[in-house]
Amino acid sequence: MSNLNIDAAKANTFDVIVIGSGISGGWAAKEFTEKGFKTLVLERGRDVQHIKDYPTTNKFPYEFEHLGEPALAIKKENPIVSRCYAFKEDAMHFMVKDKEHPYIQEKPFDWIRGYQVGGKSLLWARQTQRWSDFDFEGPARDDFAVDWPIRYKDIAPWYSYVEKFAGIAGHRDGLAELPDGEFLPGFPLNAAEDYFKGVIKNKYPARHVISARCAHLSKPNQIHLDQGRAKCQNRILCQRGCPFGGYFSSNASTLPWAAKTGNLTLRPFSVVESVIYDDAKGKVTGVRVADTNTKEVTEYYARIVFINAGALNTNLILLNSKSKRFPRGLGNDSGVLGKYVAFHNYSARINAEYDGLKQYATDGRNPAGGGYIPRFRNLLKQEMNFKRGYAAGIYGSRYMERDRSGIGGSLKDNLLHGKLSPWIIGSHMMGETIPKESNFVSLSVSEKDAWGVPLLNISVAYDENDALMKADYIGQMTEMFTEAGFKNITPNVSSQSPGLDIHEMGGARMGRDPKTSVLNEWNQLHTCPNVFVTDGACMTSTSTQNPSLTYMAFTARSVDYAVKAMNRGEI
Amino acid sequence: MERRLVIKQVLIMAGGLALLPSCLREQGKSTILLKNMDISLDQENLMADIAETIIPRTNTPGAKQLKLHLFALKMVDDCYEKADQELFVKGLTAFQDQAQDLFSKSFGKLSLHQRESMLAKLENSTSPEQSGFYKIMKEKTIDGFLNSKYVMTNLIIYELVPGRYNGYFPVKTA
């Protein structure tokens, strides 16, 4: 019997356990397996293998049951996820249905999740911008949260490292606030976007319109071909999974790469209930996993655990990992864990029309989606009645107007022979929100999920700063659009809840002081050195950039540090 | 008997969408499987005639041939509130009766001119039943047409794999 136990323990022992297979977990898997470490990746959802498990990827619009629109019964059963723009018939199988994993909204919060191998890396918007010191120095300069324990120079080489492998298309714009990276050729702006760029350059020298940078293989290098990926084909059906591997996802890139080393064990249907802290050894020895199908609980062991469960679920796991040493959750001596959650404010858009440049339209599709305006408010110094600022997307397009009036042959003729609309200009805001103690997640004391894990309470809301910033965005975009001669300028202020931005961050923030932060400068728990968190939970502040690229860079940097620390015998 | 077997085995293509035939094909019932609504074969045929009047066969296929009425029916059955579905059926029934009252003929037996004039009236109708029914019927017929396999592969080509982007594509300004 004891032999059996020893054998079972051996079979369940790895060098490293990575919880989660999304964008950061995939990177942890790649880095560790490449360096020769036997790595177990735990994924709570089902397996999704590249190409093979993209059932809708080659479907034409008419092949969907309702032209893509989910049936009313599905929408009614899923009010939360239905609010997400990507919840359509082509990708809804990659998104968590409301009933599959309930949570408690102390304040309205749309928690959008993708429980499968690859997680939300299959679905992400693929926008990738580096942070700069204007971002890392934000909390210290503007007196909120805590100071980031790192600066741009610490992460810059790791941005380069992950960009080369992932494949990032962009132009070298030479902006201090949005550092250039290791770019594949950038996608072009179109006629209307270029025109707007010119207007802004003349009238607002400190503001910039650039082509959006994105994780698409505009021109693959050998390293991308070696991953089995090919040039992006401008389909813009990315949320279905790409048969070309044209955009970066764990499924197309890091996970198959890790599997090729022979060091990867991927276990889908594995919910991590908690991380096991051994009071006698004074460190974490493994994780407790419930099989989502059988509910059988198994323990897995390793020298190091990386938690990449997705920002809020990472908080959930840490909070639920209680021991004698850590009665309030793993690494939570300070009581900070779960607090200072923040997100991006995406609650305003603006549209307009432009009557000029009618000699041009677009042909084909742009994977970058258009242009990007980096943050210009409060950039060099505090100058507004709100803290921080916003970046903005900017895109121009012309569509076919088809006259639907009347009936019969003339209607049919009108439908088949549309007329190009004027340029339609659109923009959306991506605002930084300020992490606060009052924006937090915690464990429900009474309610548990199907696997016995407490439900997550989410208590996150906008504040006055967000409202002021939003008004400024509308005001400034209106002014800039007016300068450009755009007409029918129509602000569209949404009352969407936090969460729908799908950029929830924090709760286990990085910092120098264990009394006010959970992780150190290496994304390592201050008080439990063999546990690392490199997903969104680690974020001390949010800035305005789309966060995934930064998670990738943090992960590769952390693994490098962890391996060196192991070799030194420190962990 | 053989015919029924064939129907069971073959999906009905509506626009390009594969629809399940109604399994136990009851006499006089709709030919496609509906989850919520109860539509008779007569009503289904009436929808086909209305759809064909909206988008007639010209030198390219019309609504009947593309089975756009079945697409419309499927959309109403799956994507609309119960109240809208009821209004739709009421409007459809009222329309059926109206043709009888006016011409003592079913809508399908009317001349093209008579059919068009009946629909023209609906275009401007203020009755909630009639306008509610017709608005959906027309909108879905047009959606089904523009997104049909025929149109997307022959007339307004949908490219699954463009492989290019040109932001300065020259077009005629007029």
Side-chain angles (χ1 to χ4, degrees), chain A residues 62 64-67 72 76 190-191 194 233-235 358-365 404 406-408 412, chain B residues 17 54 56 58 60-61 71 74 78 80-81 134 138 143 147 159-160 162-171:
Chain A
Y62 47 80
F64 292 96
E65 207 176 348
H66 311 96
L67 294 182
L72 187 65
K76 284 190 164 174
N190 65 35
D194 251 345
Q233 296 297 314
N234 309 63
R235 293 170 12 118
K358 286 200 167 150
Q359 66 274 39
Y360 297 116
T362 59
D363 179 49
R365 298 179 210 132
R404 288 180 169 228
I407 54 169
K412 195 176 175 188
Chain B
L17 178 69
I54 296 171
T58 51
T60 56
F71 168 79
K74 169 83 176 158
D78 285 350
Y80 283 80
E81 297 281 358
Y134 182 67
K138 185 177 174 187
D143 288 348
N147 290 285
E159 289 182 282
L160 195 62
R164 67 184 187 285
Y165 179 62
N166 180 357
Y168 283 82
F169 186 69
V171 290

Side-chain angles (χ1 to χ4, degrees), chain A residues 451-527:
Chain A
W451 306 278
V453 180
L455 297 193
L456 196 64
N457 290 314
I458 303 181
S459 187
V460 172
Y462 293 108
D463 62 17
E464 185 57 22
N465 197 66
D466 300 323
L468 291 169
M469 186 189 290
K470 186 166 157 175
D472 187 66
Y473 163 81
I474 294 290
Q476 289 307 301
M477 291 309 296
T478 302
E479 191 188 298
M480 291 191 278
F481 278 11
T482 306
E483 289 284 0
F486 296 166
K487 301 276 159 54
N488 293 334
I489 301 170
T490 313
N492 181 355
V493 174
S494 122
S495 55
Q496 70 184 51
S497 302
L500 207 55
D501 44 278
I502 329 183
H503 285 177
E504 59 273 14
M505 290 176 245
R509 69 184 181 190
M510 294 167 75
R512 292 196 182 83
D513 185 351
K515 288 196 190 73
T516 56
S517 60
V518 178
L519 304 167
N520 68 13
E521 75 268 42
W522 303 107
N523 295 71
Q524 182 181 31
L525 284 183
H526 283 299
T527 48

Side-chain angles (χ1 to χ4, degrees), chain B residues 5-23:
Chain B
L5 267 177
V6 170
I7 288 171
K8 273 188 202 174
Q9 287 158 1
V10 177
L11 295 168
I12 299 174
M13 301 306 289
L17 178 69
L19 295 182
L20 283 175
S22 52
C23 288

